[in-house]
Tab-separated table of all heavy atoms in Angstrom:
chain	number	residue	atom	x	y	z
A	36	GLU	N	-18.485	-13.338	-5.936
A	36	GLU	CA	-19.370	-12.586	-6.824
A	36	GLU	C	-20.502	-11.965	-6.002
A	36	GLU	O	-21.060	-12.620	-5.125
A	36	GLU	CB	-19.968	-13.522	-7.880
A	36	GLU	CG	-18.970	-14.004	-8.903
A	36	GLU	CD	-18.434	-12.889	-9.778
A	36	GLU	OE1	-19.229	-12.000	-10.177
A	36	GLU	OE2	-17.228	-12.903	-10.066
A	37	PRO	N	-20.854	-10.709	-6.285
A	37	PRO	CA	-21.965	-10.082	-5.549
A	37	PRO	C	-23.294	-10.741	-5.906
A	37	PRO	O	-23.495	-11.198	-7.032
A	37	PRO	CB	-21.926	-8.632	-6.007
A	37	PRO	CG	-21.176	-8.641	-7.288
A	37	PRO	CD	-20.251	-9.823	-7.252
A	38	LEU	N	-24.182	-10.763	-4.928
A	38	LEU	CA	-25.518	-11.313	-5.140
A	38	LEU	C	-26.364	-10.310	-5.928
A	38	LEU	O	-26.082	-9.106	-5.903
A	38	LEU	CB	-26.183	-11.597	-3.798
A	38	LEU	CG	-25.470	-12.617	-2.911
A	38	LEU	CD1	-26.128	-12.678	-1.538
A	38	LEU	CD2	-25.473	-13.983	-3.567
A	39	PRO	N	-27.385	-10.781	-6.620
A	39	PRO	CA	-28.237	-9.859	-7.411
A	39	PRO	C	-28.808	-8.706	-6.589
A	39	PRO	O	-28.854	-7.567	-7.067
A	39	PRO	CB	-29.340	-10.771	-7.939
A	39	PRO	CG	-28.719	-12.125	-7.989
A	39	PRO	CD	-27.774	-12.173	-6.812
A	40	ASP	N	-29.226	-8.975	-5.337
A	40	ASP	CA	-29.786	-7.879	-4.536
A	40	ASP	C	-28.715	-6.877	-4.112
A	40	ASP	O	-28.992	-5.697	-3.942
A	40	ASP	CB	-30.562	-8.414	-3.321
A	40	ASP	CG	-29.713	-9.240	-2.383
A	40	ASP	OD1	-28.805	-9.939	-2.863
A	40	ASP	OD2	-29.975	-9.200	-1.168
A	41	GLU	N	-27.471	-7.338	-3.977
A	41	GLU	CA	-26.372	-6.414	-3.665
A	41	GLU	C	-26.090	-5.508	-4.861
A	41	GLU	O	-25.863	-4.300	-4.699
A	41	GLU	CB	-25.119	-7.196	-3.272
A	41	GLU	CG	-25.272	-7.963	-1.972
A	41	GLU	CD	-24.125	-8.900	-1.693
A	41	GLU	OE1	-23.566	-9.501	-2.629
A	41	GLU	OE2	-23.785	-9.038	-0.508
A	42	ILE	N	-26.104	-6.089	-6.045
A	42	ILE	CA	-25.901	-5.303	-7.269
A	42	ILE	C	-27.029	-4.286	-7.426
A	42	ILE	O	-26.780	-3.117	-7.742
A	42	ILE	CB	-25.815	-6.224	-8.506
A	42	ILE	CG1	-24.550	-7.087	-8.423
A	42	ILE	CG2	-25.841	-5.420	-9.796
A	42	ILE	CD1	-24.474	-8.179	-9.467
A	43	ALA	N	-28.250	-4.720	-7.164
A	43	ALA	CA	-29.407	-3.815	-7.282
A	43	ALA	C	-29.296	-2.659	-6.290
A	43	ALA	O	-29.599	-1.514	-6.623
A	43	ALA	CB	-30.701	-4.587	-7.057
A	44	ALA	N	-28.844	-2.949	-5.076
A	44	ALA	CA	-28.692	-1.893	-4.072
A	44	ALA	C	-27.629	-0.889	-4.502
A	44	ALA	O	-27.813	0.331	-4.354
A	44	ALA	CB	-28.338	-2.501	-2.720
A	45	LEU	N	-26.521	-1.358	-5.042
A	45	LEU	CA	-25.475	-0.448	-5.521
A	45	LEU	C	-25.973	0.410	-6.675
A	45	LEU	O	-25.692	1.610	-6.735
A	45	LEU	CB	-24.238	-1.241	-5.954
A	45	LEU	CG	-23.366	-1.768	-4.826
A	45	LEU	CD1	-22.299	-2.698	-5.379
A	45	LEU	CD2	-22.727	-0.625	-4.060
A	46	GLU	N	-26.707	-0.199	-7.590
A	46	GLU	CA	-27.249	0.556	-8.716
A	46	GLU	C	-28.249	1.609	-8.231
A	46	GLU	O	-28.245	2.735	-8.733
A	46	GLU	CB	-27.903	-0.389	-9.723
A	46	GLU	CG	-26.892	-1.199	-10.506
A	46	GLU	CD	-27.517	-2.241	-11.420
A	46	GLU	OE1	-28.766	-2.336	-11.474
A	46	GLU	OE2	-26.737	-2.955	-12.077
A	47	ALA	N	-29.070	1.258	-7.255
A	47	ALA	CA	-30.033	2.219	-6.705
A	47	ALA	C	-29.296	3.392	-6.064
A	47	ALA	O	-29.675	4.551	-6.241
A	47	ALA	CB	-30.945	1.533	-5.690
A	48	TYR	N	-28.224	3.104	-5.341
A	48	TYR	CA	-27.426	4.171	-4.726
A	48	TYR	C	-26.825	5.069	-5.808
A	48	TYR	O	-26.931	6.289	-5.745
A	48	TYR	CB	-26.323	3.557	-3.861
A	48	TYR	CG	-25.288	4.563	-3.444
A	48	TYR	CD1	-25.548	5.486	-2.444
A	48	TYR	CD2	-24.043	4.615	-4.077
A	48	TYR	CE1	-24.598	6.430	-2.066
A	48	TYR	CE2	-23.093	5.541	-3.712
A	48	TYR	CZ	-23.377	6.454	-2.706
A	48	TYR	OH	-22.445	7.382	-2.348
A	49	ARG	N	-26.201	4.460	-6.807
A	49	ARG	CA	-25.558	5.228	-7.879
A	49	ARG	C	-26.560	6.062	-8.673
A	49	ARG	O	-26.222	7.144	-9.161
A	49	ARG	CB	-24.809	4.286	-8.820
A	49	ARG	CG	-23.571	3.697	-8.202
A	49	ARG	CD	-22.815	2.843	-9.197
A	49	ARG	NE	-21.703	2.170	-8.538
A	49	ARG	CZ	-21.413	0.893	-8.670
A	49	ARG	NH1	-22.145	0.127	-9.462
A	49	ARG	NH2	-20.403	0.364	-8.029
A	50	ASN	N	-27.792	5.565	-8.788
A	50	ASN	CA	-28.822	6.285	-9.540
A	50	ASN	C	-29.547	7.333	-8.703
A	50	ASN	O	-30.470	7.987	-9.191
A	50	ASN	CB	-29.827	5.296	-10.133
A	50	ASN	CG	-29.202	4.452	-11.226
A	50	ASN	OD1	-28.291	4.886	-11.912
A	50	ASN	ND2	-29.684	3.225	-11.371
A	51	GLY	N	-29.147	7.483	-7.447
A	51	GLY	CA	-29.719	8.536	-6.616
A	51	GLY	C	-31.035	8.195	-5.948
A	51	GLY	O	-31.722	9.085	-5.458
A	52	ASP	N	-31.406	6.914	-5.915
A	52	ASP	CA	-32.641	6.506	-5.237
A	52	ASP	C	-32.582	6.978	-3.784
A	52	ASP	O	-31.655	6.634	-3.049
A	52	ASP	CB	-32.780	4.977	-5.299
A	52	ASP	CG	-34.082	4.468	-4.720
A	52	ASP	OD1	-34.621	5.085	-3.779
A	52	ASP	OD2	-34.556	3.435	-5.212
A	53	PRO	N	-33.546	7.789	-3.340
A	53	PRO	CA	-33.510	8.363	-1.988
A	53	PRO	C	-33.432	7.315	-0.867
A	53	PRO	O	-32.840	7.572	0.168
A	53	PRO	CB	-34.810	9.155	-1.882
A	53	PRO	CG	-35.315	9.309	-3.264
A	53	PRO	CD	-34.710	8.224	-4.087
A	54	GLU	N	-34.004	6.143	-1.093
A	54	GLU	CA	-33.964	5.103	-0.055
A	54	GLU	C	-32.562	4.549	0.155
A	54	GLU	O	-32.296	3.902	1.161
A	54	GLU	CB	-34.921	3.965	-0.413
A	54	GLU	CG	-36.378	4.349	-0.272
A	54	GLU	CD	-37.292	3.147	-0.384
A	54	GLU	OE1	-36.923	2.056	0.092
A	54	GLU	OE2	-38.371	3.319	-0.955
A	55	TYR	N	-31.676	4.780	-0.798
A	55	TYR	CA	-30.321	4.240	-0.712
A	55	TYR	C	-29.259	5.321	-0.516
A	55	TYR	O	-28.080	5.062	-0.664
A	55	TYR	CB	-30.012	3.417	-1.970
A	55	TYR	CG	-30.790	2.125	-1.998
A	55	TYR	CD1	-32.065	2.074	-2.542
A	55	TYR	CD2	-30.259	0.969	-1.446
A	55	TYR	CE1	-32.791	0.900	-2.555
A	55	TYR	CE2	-30.972	-0.212	-1.451
A	55	TYR	CZ	-32.236	-0.244	-2.002
A	55	TYR	OH	-32.951	-1.415	-2.004
A	56	GLN	N	-29.687	6.522	-0.179
A	56	GLN	CA	-28.742	7.610	0.045
A	56	GLN	C	-28.480	7.772	1.540
A	56	GLN	O	-29.343	7.492	2.362
A	56	GLN	CB	-29.280	8.912	-0.548
A	56	GLN	CG	-29.518	8.839	-2.049
A	56	GLN	CD	-28.321	8.358	-2.837
A	56	GLN	OE1	-27.234	8.890	-2.716
A	56	GLN	NE2	-28.525	7.319	-3.639
A	57	PRO	N	-27.283	8.220	1.893
A	57	PRO	CA	-26.966	8.407	3.311
A	57	PRO	C	-27.889	9.438	3.952
A	57	PRO	O	-28.283	10.416	3.321
A	57	PRO	CB	-25.524	8.900	3.307
A	57	PRO	CG	-25.076	8.940	1.904
A	57	PRO	CD	-26.200	8.585	1.014
A	58	THR	N	-28.223	9.204	5.206
A	58	THR	CA	-29.057	10.163	5.937
A	58	THR	C	-28.231	10.930	6.953
A	58	THR	O	-28.740	11.806	7.640
A	58	THR	CB	-30.198	9.435	6.670
A	58	THR	OG1	-29.629	8.462	7.544
A	58	THR	CG2	-31.129	8.753	5.685
A	59	ILE	N	-26.938	10.594	7.044
A	59	ILE	CA	-26.041	11.246	7.989
A	59	ILE	C	-24.690	11.421	7.298
A	59	ILE	O	-24.269	10.570	6.515
A	59	ILE	CB	-25.925	10.404	9.289
A	59	ILE	CG1	-25.096	11.110	10.337
A	59	ILE	CG2	-25.401	9.023	9.015
A	59	ILE	CD1	-25.150	10.440	11.706
A	60	SER	N	-24.028	12.522	7.551
A	60	SER	CA	-22.744	12.793	6.895
A	60	SER	C	-21.622	11.995	7.548
A	60	SER	O	-21.746	11.503	8.678
A	60	SER	CB	-22.415	14.289	6.979
A	60	SER	OG	-22.053	14.623	8.304
A	61	HIS	N	-20.530	11.896	6.830
A	61	HIS	CA	-19.337	11.210	7.337
A	61	HIS	C	-18.872	11.852	8.644
A	61	HIS	O	-18.528	11.161	9.595
A	61	HIS	CB	-18.238	11.250	6.277
A	61	HIS	CG	-16.969	10.596	6.679
A	61	HIS	ND1	-16.835	9.222	6.712
A	61	HIS	CD2	-15.784	11.096	7.082
A	61	HIS	CE1	-15.612	8.926	7.121
A	61	HIS	NE2	-14.957	10.041	7.342
A	62	GLU	N	-18.877	13.166	8.671
A	62	GLU	CA	-18.451	13.898	9.865
A	62	GLU	C	-19.355	13.583	11.060
A	62	GLU	O	-18.889	13.418	12.187
A	62	GLU	CB	-18.430	15.405	9.602
A	62	GLU	CG	-17.332	15.860	8.652
A	62	GLU	CD	-17.660	15.573	7.190
A	62	GLU	OE1	-18.846	15.389	6.844
A	62	GLU	OE2	-16.706	15.508	6.385
Side-chain angles (χ1 to χ4, degrees):
E36 290 294 320
L38 299 173
D40 60 326
E41 294 171 324
I42 294 171
L45 284 172
E46 287 175 1
Y48 167 76
R49 289 184 186 133
N50 292 330
D52 185 328
E54 289 190 36
Y55 289 88
Q56 300 307 307
T58 57
I59 185 170
S60 72
H61 179 76
E62 290 77 21

